[in-house]
Amino acid sequence: MYSPTVLDHFKNPRNVGEIAEADGVGEVGNPVCGDMINVYLKVKDDVIEDIKFKTFGCGAAIAVSSMLTELAKGKTLDEAMKITNKDVAEALEGLPKNKLHCSNLGADALHAAIKNYRDRQAQKAVPGEAEKVPHIPEKVDACYCPYCDMENKGQAEFCVSCGADLPHEH
Amino acid sequence: MYSPTVLDHFKNPRNVGEIAEADGVGEVGNPVCGDMINVYLKVKDDVIEDIKFKTFGCGAAIAVSSMLTELAKGKTLDEAMKITNKDVAEALEGLPKNKLHCSNLGADALHAAIKNYRDRQAQKAVPGEAEKVPHIPEKVDACYCPYCDMENKGQAEFCVSCGADLPHEH
Amino acid sequence: MDAVYFDNYAATPLHPRVKEAMHRIVDEVFGNPSSDHRFGQAAAEALDTARKQTANLINAEPEEIVFTSGGTESVNHAIKGVAFSQREKGRHIITTNIEHKSVLNCLRTLRLLDYHITSLDVDEYGLVDPAAVEKAITDQTVLITIQLANNEIGTLQPIADIAKIARHKKVVFHTDAVAAAGIIPIDVKALDVDLLSLAANQFNGPNGVGALYVKRGTPIWPLLEGGVQENRKRAGTENVVGIVGLGVAAEMAWLESHERLEKFRTLRRKLIDGLNARIPHLKFNGHPTQVLPHLVSVSVEFIEGEGLMLLLDEEGICVATRSACASGSLRASHVLIGTGMDFALAQGTLLITLGRDNTEAEVDRLLEVMPRVVQTLRDMSPIYQKNVAA
Amino acid sequence: MDAVYFDNYAATPLHPRVKEAMHRIVDEVFGNPSSDHRFGQAAAEALDTARKQTANLINAEPEEIVFTSGGTESVNHAIKGVAFSQREKGRHIITTNIEHKSVLNCLRTLRLLDYHITSLDVDEYGLVDPAAVEKAITDQTVLITIQLANNEIGTLQPIADIAKIARHKKVVFHTDAVAAAGIIPIDVKALDVDLLSLAANQFNGPNGVGALYVKRGTPIWPLLEGGVQENRKRAGTENVVGIVGLGVAAEMAWLESHERLEKFRTLRRKLIDGLNARIPHLKFNGHPTQVLPHLVSVSVEFIEGEGLMLLLDEEGICVATRSACASGSLRASHVLIGTGMDFALAQGTLLITLGRDNTEAEVDRLLEVMPRVVQTLRDMSPIYQKNVAA
Ligand SMILES: Cc1ncc(COP(=O)(O)O)c(C=O)c1O
Ligand SMILES: Cc1ncc(COP(=O)(O)O)c(C=O)c1O
Ligand code: FES
Ligand code: FES
């Protein structure tokens, strides 16, 4: 079900761990499935010198975290802010349809860490405290069933056309 | 699906044919499935001396006709009048559930032939004309579904409890 | 002498390659395709292959194939799935008088649940008129279900024409292609249908396995609800052994299509001409040209079909009958009656269906035996002499 | 080293006798059981045998067994069949919060069709209170559906007590015994249930084959409508290969019942004690004594189950997980949440199910490997150190 690249990054995750005196920390959590990705940054001259992660989540979430850190390492902060969830999923050579949302947490955590770093620089944030972002998916998913493409009203629990569960809370 | 006795009587039917100058003829037909059994009698001293049949119907109907003529041959008319459909089915060592109604035509045709003979004796019937009986099954079958034993209203086309076709027209 | 099998409509002998594939799965693959470990993934891969093979047979996309437990489930899923999904839009369904029982009985049930059914007449060949379909459509119509080929007389309906009307009127269209798929070429994109039912046992695959083609975007509820199998359209752990058999059968039907059709046409011609030459008072049913190539439906006057079938079986020849007596339902075939046939004649109808394994010699054998057994039964029939004398 | 299979709940390796029987049918029997000729009758006889074997497993009469395409179809048939059949009498159905998805989703659909559902709470072990069932019954209640054993935590419900209440109140009672049948002894006469669902792949039979026990006289519509197969309760040409597999699997489950139970109890004890001794912060789920003998549900704190399952697979050990991430549905297990477990802990739940082929050495292997992979994932988890330190 997972691509070889996903499996590789899951089984041999790169950059696992915490950075003791991190310059920026982002924590993104999904309140529905409980998954959580923490990203720790060491920044020098606006370049990500070191990056580490800790993740509570499925194989895809771990692989996404690992790939994300690989993509971000060595990049300038501005470049890193441009890394999207799609970039990560593509670098992993695809994720199963029902795991695409897992990749959403990855880039969000990176961006949160960068924001946290910048906030600290601007003294808007206290060093040692992480930027915490609850990850709530956009509502747009709810309206069109991803399985049969039919429209559904508001917060429908399942698709009225095909009966599929609608994962919009995730 | 058929017992060996049914198969034997179907494949080697006894007493097939007509009796040219029959003393009594019974014709029973089922208006729904189109099946027809004709029974021809030669009677001497109130005893069935010879009996023949012609049948348009399924394997069970042919076997029933054959067994019926075997059971009736040599019996007095009174004895033969007592032969029931159940006797025939039992002599055949059983019929499949959905074929039980086929045996109903058998004894009816025999009884019709005897009645025809007696009517002719009493000059209530013209020699050469058969006693014709349309075979309509009793209504009682309609009320209880034979498959799930639940009650159904009047002429229900199928059982409202189990959805089975109700064979009450047969 | 080996028995001769001419009942390929009821079930077909498994293709040697189908047997091989099923044996392999029985021996090697027991996992649940939903399991993410190696045992599950082996089963999932087997399903993937079968899905591609099945899709290819009818020119569908693999994601549009939903595996089912056979033609009946496919039909029930299509009809009830659309009816329930669309119930707020409307409750009118259009069909014909000569559909398979699985269609009829679904609609009968829906009638009890406040749906309204229009069942269209067919002509003496069993053809439905697309104009009549168009006329029957109302703004309440949510589904049209019309078979591609009739399973008793072989007549092929003008499905592409009907599909065009349905598409134009935005009504979902299901075609029951169980009797046709794997026999004649089918292209769901060219036909432009929304739903199409098929079953493996019609083309040298196993019994009790089928598929429903569901065009992407078709509003349909699952019939079997539960897990997220089959792209969420059909729950339940999959019958992997059977589905693999369906897949290989589909592939072989595709690969051998030309030679099979060639054989069917030759044997069928020989059969019809031969029977006609040898037995008086026969009627051949179905459309003269728009008809399945492997099926001969013949009504034998003055006798009843079950007896004929049993006597042929006795001689080692297996055919099917459409007589009410044998069907377990004890009513005459609604298809034959639907084409205007009278009851007694319908009772004497045999269905002879050819398969890829049949030979000319087997047809010769039938032609030799059948006149004899027909005569035996006619001699027993109270209506034969009367009518033939007249 | 061979892979170790501890996911016998998802599917079980086929019993050698089951393989044998399925191979024979693939090679020799292709006929349609409804055909009256020799090919059909061979198939019909194979079904007859399987029906007796399956009936015997649960002490039913053969005529009370309806073959289906698996647990999901059995459950859908039971629930929708009774609901539709009884819709004039009433539209209230009682169930519990921890039923299988096949039950839940049927009821969800029925809700849309104007049925009213009462779903009962369970305690921390997953047990439902028969008194709560009795209290929930109204004069509109037409069906109670409660599982015999839970498939995620193994808890056995007091089915006989609930059946007695249902019988007394004249409400039809269905029990989903998919997780239990073929594992523990079941006697439908002693339980006095009206309907019971089972599936072959739980006891060394093939995937996608099951049965519904229908007590004679139970009002139920067919789910698959069409022909007159299965005593008119389930239309469609039968999956003969699969059904024969179910039959033999049922017979073997019956014959080997004692030795299997013995083995399950020993290995399960060893597994629980061993894990407890080796890994801190575990929670074992389900009732301590009223529980399936072959199932261990264990929640591993601070980590998520899918990763654990994949790493174990990497080491050649196959287990299942109840984490939302892996289920394809992306919600936490409603069963674990139903017993009051918190979300994060539910995410780390493994399901280890034993089968007749497992050995002590295999359990030892799991006990050796699991502590290591758990630690790897805990080291990766942002919540591990925080919590363990605290
Ligand atoms: C309790 C229960 N009911 C129903 C089912 C559905 O069975 P199947 O997947 O065979 O359709 C399962 C399957 O896992 C189950 O555990
Ligand atoms: C036209 C048609 N539809 C549906 C079916 C039902 O298929 P199955 O018996 O495989 O369930 C048949 C079967 O014979 C058929 O001929
Ligand atoms: S005589 Fe009518 S079914 Fe046999
Ligand atoms: S992180 Fe939630 S499903 Fe993968």
Side-chain angles (χ1 to χ4, degrees), chain B residues 31-62:
Chain B
V32 173
C33 86
D35 303 317
M36 181 183 271
I37 299 185
N38 290 6
V39 168
Y40 308 89
L41 296 181
K42 202 83 205 167
V43 180
K44 194 168 174 186
D45 299 336
D46 248 34
V47 167
I48 298 180
E49 213 186 43
D50 197 11
I51 177 166
K52 291 209 179 300
F53 77 91
K54 282 213 162 178
T55 292
F56 174 93
C58 65
I62 290 171

Side-chain angles (χ1 to χ4, degrees), chain C residues 13-160:
Chain C
L14 295 183
H15 192 289
R17 295 278 303 276
V18 170
K19 286 188 188 182
E20 231 172 81
M22 292 175 74
H23 282 313
R24 190 182 73 77
I25 301 295
V26 167
D27 279 334
E28 297 172 16
V29 181
F30 71 87
N32 186 320
S34 297
S35 300
D36 288 327
H37 49 61
R38 61 189 71 194
F39 292 96
Q41 290 310 295
E45 277 161 30
L47 286 195
D48 271 358
T49 305
R51 200 178 304 280
K52 283 183 198 132
Q53 290 165 326
T54 308
N56 181 57
L57 180 68
I58 56 171
N59 193 29
E61 302 304 316
E63 318 81 69
E64 295 174 322
I65 297 296
V66 177
F67 291 122
T68 67
S69 66
T72 297
E73 183 187 325
S74 296
V75 165
N76 276 253
H77 184 173
I79 295 179
K80 295 181 193 166
V82 172
F84 287 141
S85 155
Q86 297 294 88
R87 77 204 178 291
E88 315 257 86
K89 189 187 154 204
R91 303 198 176 187
H92 179 234
I93 299 173
I94 298 169
T95 187
T96 79
N97 288 340
I98 61 165
E99 299 297 312
H100 185 261
K101 272 257 172 191
S102 52
V103 173
L104 291 181
N105 287 2
C106 279
L107 295 176
R108 189 178 74 177
T109 295
L110 287 175
R111 246 196 292 145
L112 290 184
L113 302 174
D114 297 327
Y115 287 76
H116 184 74
I117 316 296
T118 300
S119 187
L120 299 170
D121 286 338
V122 296
D123 69 12
E124 62 179 310
Y125 301 121
L127 276 180
V128 70
D129 181 0
V133 176
E134 180 151 25
K135 245 176 67 185
I137 297 174
T138 74
D139 57 357
Q140 292 295 303
T141 310
V142 290
L143 176 67
I144 300 170
T145 177
I146 293 179
Q147 62 198 181
L148 201 152
N150 184 275
N151 51 302
E152 298 192 21
I153 57 175
T155 298
L156 303 172
Q157 300 293 359
I159 290 305

Side-chain angles (χ1 to χ4, degrees), chain A residues 14-165:
Chain A
R14 286 49 150 182
N15 311 307
V16 177
E18 289 179 34
I19 297 177
E21 307 267 286
D23 298 327
V25 180
E27 292 181 8
V28 177
N30 181 309
V32 174
C33 86
D35 303 317
M36 181 182 271
I37 299 186
N38 291 4
V39 168
Y40 308 87
L41 296 181
K42 202 84 204 166
V43 180
K44 193 171 177 187
D45 299 335
D46 247 34
V47 167
I48 299 181
E49 213 186 44
D50 197 11
I51 177 167
K52 291 209 181 297
F53 76 91
K54 282 211 162 178
T55 292
F56 173 91
C58 65
I62 290 171
V64 160
S65 311
S66 167
M67 177 57 86
L68 174 86
T69 54
E70 286 286 278
L71 290 181
K73 199 182 249 177
K75 289 228 161 60
T76 66
L77 293 181
D78 282 347
E79 284 166 351
M81 277 307 277
K82 287 191 198 127
I83 296 175
T84 64
N85 301 313
K86 222 174 130 235
D87 295 334
V88 180
E90 270 169 18
L92 286 168
E93 281 164 10
L95 285 168
K97 202 179 199 178
N98 65 335
K99 294 286 189 169
L100 277 174
H101 70 282
C102 302
S103 74
N104 292 336
L105 270 66
D108 290 0
L110 172 64
H111 301 162
I114 295 172
K115 178 166 185 294
N116 180 245
Y117 166 78
R118 288 178 167 164
D119 284 354
R120 288 189 198 178
Q121 298 304 98
Q123 310 221 320
K124 284 195 279 183
V126 186
E129 253 183 31
E131 171 81 14
K132 290 193 177 143
V133 186
H135 179 82
I136 315 252
E138 311 101 77
K139 281 280 155 43
V140 70
D141 285 337
C143 300
Y144 288 88
C145 172
Y147 303 103
C148 74
D149 287 333
M150 303 304 277
E151 200 174 336
N152 282 281
K153 291 199 209 90
Q155 289 298 309
E157 210 188 311
F158 57 95
C159 173
V160 294
S161 290
C162 76
D165 287 327

Side-chain angles (χ1 to χ4, degrees), chain B residues 2 30 32-37 55-62 98-103 105 170, chain C residues 304 306 323-328 330-331 347:
Chain B
Y2 286 133
N30 182 308
V32 173
C33 86
D35 303 317
M36 181 183 271
I37 299 185
T55 292
F56 174 93
C58 65
I62 290 171
N98 65 336
K99 294 287 188 171
L100 277 174
H101 70 284
C102 303
S103 74
L105 271 66
H170 193 91
Chain C
E304 191 275 341
E306 193 208 63
S323 83
C325 285
S327 74
L330 309 174
R331 304 227 185 114
Q347 287 286 59

